[in-house]
Structure formats: structure tokens, C-alpha cells
Amino acid sequence: NSSNLPFSYILRVPFTKWADIRQQITAFKWGGAQLTAKKMAGTMGINERVIVAIDHKKVVGIGSLVRQDIADLPQTPFISAIYVDPDYREKHLGTQIVKAAQSTAKRLGFKNVYVISGLDNYYEKMGFNYQGDVTDFMGRKMKLYHKDI
């Protein structure tokens, strides 16, 4: 059942599959995935994590927990770079990745998480509250969301 895919939590430690997973993420045709792969190459912060959904050794979804996202804001941490392979969409995999990121943040001792997104009514369905508009590093108008965890 692809709606209950197993997750592998990838931490910044020596991990035999790290290079393969980073290579698969690099192959996604989305800029956020490229940034995630770049962070995996060596710029992950101490409390930053990459969450990867894997189906039969294939990376089918990603997300990350990062100190700072695509706008210069004091809030932290951010759930960022949520991406699901087109063949796995409409199966709530993105929601599962966001929930995994929230659980990870809570385990790390955080009481809140934030999201910057241009999506309408996606994060609200998961209990996030709209905080206001922000402009990202590329000059795009985005929305800032917050959730207590």
C-alpha cells in the first residue's frame, strides 16, 4: 500500500546509502530538491535533517528540517523542500513527510515549526496557522505558516 510507505530518516552521520540517496534526490526535476542534495553534500547544520520516503529502494519523496528556509527570518526550524515523485502524488505522502518532520523537530526539542510556501490550503489542512506574507530570496511573495508541536 503506497499510502503507508516506510520512511528512512537520514541523519548527518556516516551512512552507507547517503550517496545513493543524494544522487536520487539530485535527479528530481525541481530546484528545491537540488538545494536539498547540495545541503546533503556537506552543509547540514547540527539540528537539520533530511526525511526520505523510500519505496523498494527508490526515493519517492523528500522533505527537510532546516534552520533557515528561503527567506531571512528569525523563526526556526522550518519544514522545507517537500517533494513527492509525480507517480506517488494524491496518496498523502507529502502529509506523511510533513508529519515525520514535525516528529523529528519535537524529538530535537523544538516546540514550534514553520513553513514558507506559496501553496493555498495545503498546510492549513495539517493544522498550520497562517502568520503573514513574506518575500523569499527570489523576490516571490510567499506565506509564512506556524504550528505548535
Side-chain angles (χ1 to χ4, degrees):
N1 181 346
S2 58
S3 66
N4 294 310
L5 293 171
F7 284 98
S8 294
Y9 295 91
I10 314 252
L11 310 178
R12 194 178 190 277
V13 295
F15 186 68
T16 58
K17 302 288 184 193
W18 189 258
D20 176 57
I21 288 169
R22 189 168 77 75
Q23 182 178 14
Q24 287 188 56
I25 291 171
T26 301
F28 288 146
K29 295 183 181 358
W30 178 62
Q34 307 309 312
L35 292 174
T36 298
K38 184 177 178 181
K39 281 188 88 62
M40 289 175 73
T43 60
M44 297 289 294
I46 192 164
N47 284 329
E48 294 184 316
R49 302 289 187 268
V50 175
I51 294 109
V52 182
I54 298 175
D55 186 25
H56 299 94
K57 298 183 181 180
K58 177 185 176 189
V59 175
V60 297
I62 63 168
S64 59
L65 186 68
V66 295
R67 185 188 64 75
Q68 184 174 350
D69 198 8
I70 56 174
D72 188 16
L73 300 172
Q75 294 89 340
T76 197
F78 286 89
I79 295 173
S80 179
I82 305 298
Y83 178 84
V84 175
D85 181 294
D87 293 338
Y88 288 80
R89 293 185 183 162
E90 304 299 324
K91 297 175 184 185
H92 307 288
L93 185 53
T95 299
Q96 291 182 49
I97 293 169
V98 170
K99 287 179 180 179
Q102 290 176 67
S103 296
T104 300
K106 189 171 187 172
R107 256 193 333 276
L108 290 169
F110 292 103
K111 307 245 184 275
N112 306 286
V113 289
Y114 299 88
V115 171
I116 297 173
S117 178
L119 297 177
D120 289 319
N121 297 318
Y122 182 74
Y123 291 98
E124 294 92 336
K125 291 177 186 174
M126 290 182 267
F128 282 81
N129 297 305
Y130 170 76
Q131 299 291 291
D133 291 336
V134 297
T135 302
D136 74 4
F137 292 134
M138 294 164 270
R140 301 175 300 184
K141 182 179 171 185
M142 305 295 269
K143 296 174 185 162
L144 174 65
Y145 294 96
H146 162 266
K147 184 175 184 181
D148 295 326
I149 53 173

